[in-house]
Amino acid sequence: MDVIEKVDIRDEEGNTMDYSLYKGCSFPPHVVGNVRDLVANCAKLKCRQDDVLLYTYPKSGTHWMHNILNMFITGNFAYAGTASYLEFAKIDVIDNMPSPRLIATHLEVDLFPDDIKNGIGKVVNIVRNPKDVAVSYYCFLSSMKGVGFTGTFDSFLRFYLKEEFFFGNWYGALKQWLDIGKTYPKMKIFTLYYEDLKRNTLPNLKRVVNFLEIPRDEDFCKSVIDNTGFATMKRHHETESKHNEQFKDVVKDGVLPIYRKGEIGDWKRWFTPAQSELFDRVYKERLAKYDLDLVYE
Ligand code: PPS
């Protein structure tokens, strides 16, 4: 029988990270309920043709894209807050959401609903360069309660570079997407890079609209841009998102610490040259067989 292993790793400075390991996948402590039930419930979730599942490795722009997609799907520009995540919301909440549903997840692709793997519903995947993800993740976890991280950025990087991190590691997540055509050829997916979205927003929003196959013209896309800018979303989040049920036990002041800087290249203020070199070496080895052109600044 598959067991849920509770793992608690500690570095030489005494910083700890604990997670659950189940069927080779790692889960942070604040996922909803028991990971065995979570995995089983996700696999059998009944999907609908008009479902949109937003996949991101954490800190890659989930909130940003959730609000963009919500505007496209609903046809209005209301702020939509934080998504309902497969792993943080109760499954009956997801099951009972009215159509068209927009759901988010950081779960590994193998744990996606079987229906999604078989092409029922669409998946939007956002990828962000791993150095900015590392900084964003560190700042986020340093501000959380219970699942927080109390060590230095250097000690965090050592955890981040391990095979097993929360929801797996960044390069493992990316590999799943680069290989997706072979693993799940029926899945309908669209991958967008955070950096492209940030630098060339309008053309990339048009690509999103094409993928969703919904009628939204250029003026609509421009209004989406006006309503999903970093400062606008940060203001909405801080005034309207208190006490989100999914995260009420792990946030310090009722607000998830999401909107920090929203920039490309902030990692340069955090990484030392030695950390950056180590990072580049590890990533080059692990992603050697892929032809990647990530944008870091
Ligand atoms: S989470 O917790 O995994 O759901 O976080 P996630 O939403 O994926 O990522 C948070 C980072 O996304 C940045 N962000 C934005 N960047 C640009 N434009 C907009 N509108 C925007 N909204 C959110 C957010 O600031 C976090 O990145 P950092 O680098 O920490 O600022």
Side-chain angles (χ1 to χ4, degrees):
M1 168 157 139
D2 293 307
V3 288
I4 305 170
E5 196 186 333
K6 292 280 179 199
V7 183
D8 184 353
I9 47 176
R10 181 174 294 266
D11 68 11
E12 52 276 22
E13 289 158 18
N15 303 300
T16 57
M17 205 189 93
D18 55 310
Y19 55 89
S20 303
L21 192 60
Y22 177 63
K23 291 189 166 182
C25 299
S26 45
F27 302 83
H30 58 302
V31 297
V32 69
N34 160 331
V35 294
R36 188 181 291 122
D37 293 344
L38 167 66
V39 168
N41 289 336
C42 283
K44 58 177 196 268
L45 181 76
K46 192 102 198 78
C47 295
R48 310 169 195 160
Q49 290 295 354
D50 57 3
D51 281 346
V52 176
L53 180 65
L54 169 61
Y55 168 82
T56 54
Y57 189 74
K59 316 321 295 176
S60 301
T62 326
H63 283 70
W64 186 17
M65 193 34 108
H66 168 68
N67 277 270
I68 290 173
L69 289 171
N70 191 65
M71 290 178 190
F72 282 140
I73 291 169
T74 60
N76 75 64
F77 304 107
Y79 172 70
T82 294
S84 296
Y85 288 79
L86 281 178
E87 59 275 21
F88 297 125
K90 297 205 171 82
I91 200 73
D92 49 336
V93 170
I94 306 258
D95 235 347
N96 293 323
M97 281 167 69
S99 290
R101 289 187 300 190
L102 172 58
I103 308 162
T105 192
H106 300 313
L107 289 176
E108 298 181 29
V109 176
D110 287 343
L111 306 183
F112 280 16
D114 291 339
D115 280 353
I116 286 276
K117 293 175 185 166
N118 287 320
I120 301 174
K122 292 181 174 171
V123 181
V124 174
N125 165 32
I126 305 294
V127 178
R128 186 181 191 187
N129 84 67
K131 290 182 181 173
D132 280 330
V133 168
V135 170
S136 182
Y137 219 160
Y138 173 69
C139 294
F140 175 78
L141 291 177
S142 303
S143 327
M144 295 284 274
K145 193 175 71 180
V147 292
F149 184 79
T150 51
T152 59
F153 181 60
D154 192 61
S155 56
F156 175 80
L157 270 188
R158 273 175 267 143
F159 285 125
Y160 182 77
L161 285 170
K162 283 181 194 301
E163 285 288 322
E164 279 159 14
F165 193 68
F166 293 166
F167 299 114
N169 53 64
W170 182 91
Y171 56 87
L174 181 64
K175 277 199 232 179
Q176 293 182 333
W177 291 101
L178 297 171
D179 292 337
I180 200 93
K182 286 188 209 126
T183 352
Y184 299 110
K186 292 189 193 153
M187 205 191 285
K188 296 181 190 126
I189 56 162
F190 177 73
T191 296
L192 185 57
Y193 287 81
Y194 174 100
E195 292 77 15
D196 288 341
L197 183 61
K198 179 112 188 145
R199 296 235 162 99
N200 292 304
T201 315
L202 184 59
N204 279 299
L205 289 192
K206 290 181 182 170
R207 295 173 63 218
V208 174
V209 167
N210 268 343
F211 173 71
L212 295 176
E213 298 175 292
I214 44 180
R216 304 286 177 237
D217 62 13
E218 180 160 325
D219 284 344
F220 192 95
C221 292
K222 286 182 177 162
S223 294
V224 169
I225 295 174
D226 291 342
N227 285 286
T228 55
F230 178 83
T232 307
M233 288 186 57
K234 182 177 166 72
R235 196 179 60 245
H236 280 301
H237 182 73
E238 285 168 359
T239 50
E240 296 166 35
S241 293
K242 292 219 167 199
H243 309 302
N244 181 313
E245 263 304 299
Q246 296 173 95
F247 305 104
K248 66 180 183 345
D249 297 330
V250 288
V251 292
K252 276 188 186 152
D253 58 0
V255 179
L256 263 184
I258 297 295
Y259 296 87
R260 196 183 59 88
K261 284 196 165 176
E263 288 173 4
I264 303 168
D266 188 46
W267 65 270
K268 286 191 280 178
R269 294 194 192 89
W270 289 79
F271 280 65
T272 63
Q275 287 167 340
S276 182
E277 273 165 35
L278 168 71
F279 206 90
D280 291 343
R281 198 167 58 246
V282 170
Y283 275 68
K284 208 169 163 195
E285 277 164 22
R286 288 172 175 169
L287 295 167
K289 74 168 175 143
Y290 301 95
D291 184 20
L292 283 174
D293 190 15
L294 294 167
V295 172
Y296 285 93
E297 53 193 280

